[in-house]
Amino acid sequence: MRSYHLSHSGAGLSGLSVREHDVPTPGPGQALVAVRATSLSFRELMVLDGTYVLPVKPDVVPVSDGAGEVVAVGPGAGSVRVGDRVAATLFPSWQDGPFAIEHAAQRGGSLDGMLTEYALVDADGLVTVPAHLTYAEAATLPCVAVTAWNALTGDGVGVRPGDTVVVQGSGGVSLFALRFAKALGARVIATTSSPAKAARLRELGADEVVDYAATPDWAGEVRALTGGRGADRIVDVAGLLHESVRAITLAGTIVCVGFTGRTAPPLDPYALFSSGATVRSVAVGSRAQFTAMNAFIEEHGLRPVVDRVFPFDEAVDAYRHYAAGSSFGKVVIDHS
């Protein structure tokens, strides 16, 4: 079997290499997964350039997101069977409930990831994937889809029919949040900087699209589109929370799921207090949330948006394509 390794976090693409290994044998509670596909997210770029917020071990097998087929199980691995189509959770020990420091061990960071032909994983870190999805589609779920699901449903209130939800840009979290929010009955306002992407966002169900290149005051435009009320929920992927506070309705919810910029203006505590908003940060989600999301995807027949698929031997090219920032949807690596 072959695996990619990253010499150390911050090494960049030059730190990636491919090595051959013996195929491992699963021990107690473990499963051996023949990985059929992986996908890239912004997290993987942070691991490459040394800015990821959690520890990354030297010589790690990178990439958190992958799907494949269980080909062997060890004793006590009763949650999966040989032949199951599965995806791996990003935080293997986070089964349910709130996130805690004891769940911080993460695939493709402090633990080996999925950019390999065979992955040896704890069986309780796997979930069965929706039957109608291909492996390439299923590989897009563990990081960004679960994050989007948690952002919309994980606060005990969740998105309700008739709510207005704002999603930012056309990255993985935002596209999943758009699809999920529409299926939950929400009105969705999307932001983008490209007329071409605006058209595609509308095709995916966005009710309104704000081009922030043409209208830099996107927060003001959101308020205008909601009759001055503001959005009920904003899925903030950029880290520009000061703008989200301007766009949120009184006592609305801002979910911070990451940051695509290196710096942002400070958040004015007076503006935050005046908004009455709840600001909630989200770190992907639990296995229970992953399972619930998969049931929702299956119920509604949802399919991820895949931008491009690269073969396993061209994984470095996949990274380059993703890092260029021109993709619309997920960049996938096919291991077959």
Side-chain angles (χ1 to χ4, degrees), residues 115-327:
L115 197 53
T116 178
E117 292 179 320
Y118 290 90
L120 187 63
V121 301
D122 290 340
D124 58 8
L126 296 171
V127 297
T128 303
V129 299
H132 68 287
L133 298 185
T134 66
Y135 281 120
E137 292 170 328
T140 70
L141 301 178
C143 182
V144 297
V146 178
T147 297
W149 180 254
N150 191 352
L152 297 179
T153 70
D155 59 355
V157 178
V159 172
R160 294 162 293 197
D163 281 355
T164 296
V165 175
V166 171
V167 300
Q168 299 174 334
S170 55
V173 172
S174 297
L175 292 183
F176 274 110
L178 190 166
R179 304 296 296 283
F180 292 156
K182 288 298 297 180
L184 289 165
R187 176 195 186 199
V188 177
I189 301 174
T191 69
T192 188
S193 61
S194 160
K197 288 183 177 180
R200 296 195 65 183
L201 289 167
R202 289 190 179 92
E203 290 173 1
L204 290 173
D207 297 280
E208 306 283 353
V209 180
V210 178
D211 184 340
Y212 59 81
T215 308
D217 183 15
W218 66 266
E221 186 65 12
V222 167
R223 297 202 78 88
L225 290 169
T226 55
R229 180 177 180 274
D232 297 286
R233 186 172 298 239
I234 299 174
V235 181
D236 192 312
V237 302
L240 300 177
L241 295 175
H242 64 294
E243 292 294 335
S244 290
V245 167
R246 291 182 55 231
I248 199 71
T249 194
L250 182 65
T253 300
I254 301 168
V255 188
C256 177
V257 302
F259 46 91
T260 54
R262 296 289 179 245
T263 60
L267 182 57
D268 179 2
Y270 178 81
L272 177 59
F273 182 79
S274 299
S275 73
T278 296
V279 179
R280 175 174 170 256
S281 61
V282 165
V284 192
S286 66
R287 182 174 183 263
Q289 288 174 309
F290 200 161
T291 300
M293 179 197 73
N294 282 345
F296 184 84
I297 288 173
E298 197 147 26
E299 176 188 356
H300 292 274
L302 300 177
R303 306 196 85 103
V305 180
V306 174
D307 174 81
R308 187 171 169 188
V309 179
F310 289 79
F312 185 78
D313 291 338
E314 297 175 17
V316 172
D317 292 330
Y319 271 96
R320 288 197 183 98
H321 176 71
Y322 180 70
S326 60
S327 57

